[in-house]
Amino acid sequence: MARQTACVAVTLSIAAMLQSCVALSATAEAGGIDYPSAWQCDSPKFNWYCAEPPPEQAKDSQAKAKKPLSKEEEALKRLEQWKRDLEAKRALSILEPTPENVKAYIQEQDRLMQTASVYSDVWRRALWQTPDLNYELKRPVTAAGIEVQKQVRKRAEMNTLQALANEWGLFFFFRSDCPYCHRMSATLKLMSDLYGITVFPVSLDGGTLPEYPNARMDNGLAARLNVTQVPTMVLGNVKDKRMIPIGSGVVAIDDMIQRIYVLTQTKPGELY
């Protein structure tokens, strides 16, 4: 009798579960849940709830997965695979240096070198045939081109220096006991005589130099310009009071002219 009662109970339980499944399916069809069946999950879920993504998100993921790779993406993928294959052959030839393994790596390395040679050749052909990409038009590499560029640059520097002489002057900070200041003093005096740019000698110790016996004492200008070393040269505009540091130490006259031209007439990167 007890066995019959247990069988009846099991039968009723199974029937109840079947009724629940039918109800869940009906609810899914009616829009009550966002998945078609409680049995659809791939793994057990809490209270039989699936963790499926919303239909829109699933569609977007499928669309992205089916999107074909671009030519650039495909090339990148192939190149990465080639790198991995080459590294794998290299590693194997090192760890297991059999003739076959070393030969396989050498052959792959030769293929890489040949590809690089072809790429280099096509690169130079593209430069020759595309003037906009030819850097030699800006920075010649031949002796004749370099000489012409120097002449053009020299004329531009001279014209700049002569034009600046009307509104700009060169502040020369020095100390009378500084041997480098004595050397720079002669250079600046020559540049002033040749190109007419005015030099304003500023003494930090109250002394003078042979080229500038009437140098002025520093009145705080050195501190405002953060001058901590001598000799230091600063280009100053007498009209709008702009100040442009030129450099410190002993600088050749050609280098001084070049710095003045670059700092006043060009933008960063323009000459490179």
Side-chain angles (χ1 to χ4, degrees), residues 62-73:
Q62 293 176 359
K64 291 180 180 179
K66 294 180 180 179
K67 182 180 178 181
L69 296 177
S70 65
K71 293 179 64 176
E72 291 81 2
E73 292 171 335

Side-chain angles (χ1 to χ4, degrees), residues 45-209:
K45 304 294 181 182
F46 179 73
N47 284 343
W48 300 101
Y49 282 98
C50 289
E52 291 185 343
E56 294 79 5
Q57 183 178 349
K59 291 180 180 179
D60 293 341
S61 300
Q62 293 176 359
K64 291 180 180 179
K66 294 180 180 179
K67 182 180 178 181
L69 296 177
S70 65
K71 293 179 64 176
E72 291 81 2
E73 292 171 335
E74 182 64 31
L76 181 60
K77 183 178 179 181
R78 289 166 53 197
L79 184 59
E80 290 296 333
Q81 183 61 48
W82 191 9
K83 290 180 180 179
R84 287 193 295 268
D85 293 343
L86 182 63
E87 285 299 317
K89 285 182 170 59
R90 176 176 176 271
L92 183 61
S93 69
I94 293 174
L95 298 178
E96 299 181 18
T98 64
E100 292 76 13
N101 292 340
V102 174
K103 179 181 177 181
Y105 173 63
I106 293 175
Q107 290 174 338
E108 193 67 18
Q109 185 71 22
D110 286 344
R111 189 164 73 94
L112 175 63
M113 295 300 295
Q114 179 62 28
T115 302
S117 297
V118 173
Y119 181 77
S120 179
D121 188 26
V122 175
W123 178 287
R124 68 174 183 170
R125 291 167 186 259
L127 291 180
W128 291 343
Q129 299 172 351
T130 311
D132 292 342
L133 300 178
N134 190 357
Y135 186 69
E136 292 184 15
L137 293 177
K138 298 179 180 179
R139 304 289 290 183
V141 296
T142 63
I146 292 174
E147 183 60 31
V148 172
Q149 185 191 40
K150 285 183 178 179
Q151 295 175 2
V152 172
R153 175 76 170 271
K154 194 68 175 179
R155 285 196 297 268
E157 292 174 353
M158 295 300 100
N159 293 337
T160 296
L161 200 61
Q162 293 172 359
L164 293 179
N166 297 325
E167 296 184 3
W168 294 81
L170 198 60
F171 290 89
F172 171 43
F173 296 90
F174 70 92
R175 296 179 61 89
S176 60
D177 59 350
C178 166
Y180 302 103
C181 298
H182 283 263
R183 182 66 183 86
M184 197 62 210
S185 176
T187 299
L188 294 178
K189 184 66 168 62
L190 177 61
M191 189 173 72
S192 179
D193 293 341
L194 290 176
Y195 304 108
I197 190 167
T198 303
V199 176
F200 300 100
V202 180
S203 176
L204 301 186
D205 63 351
T208 61
L209 297 173

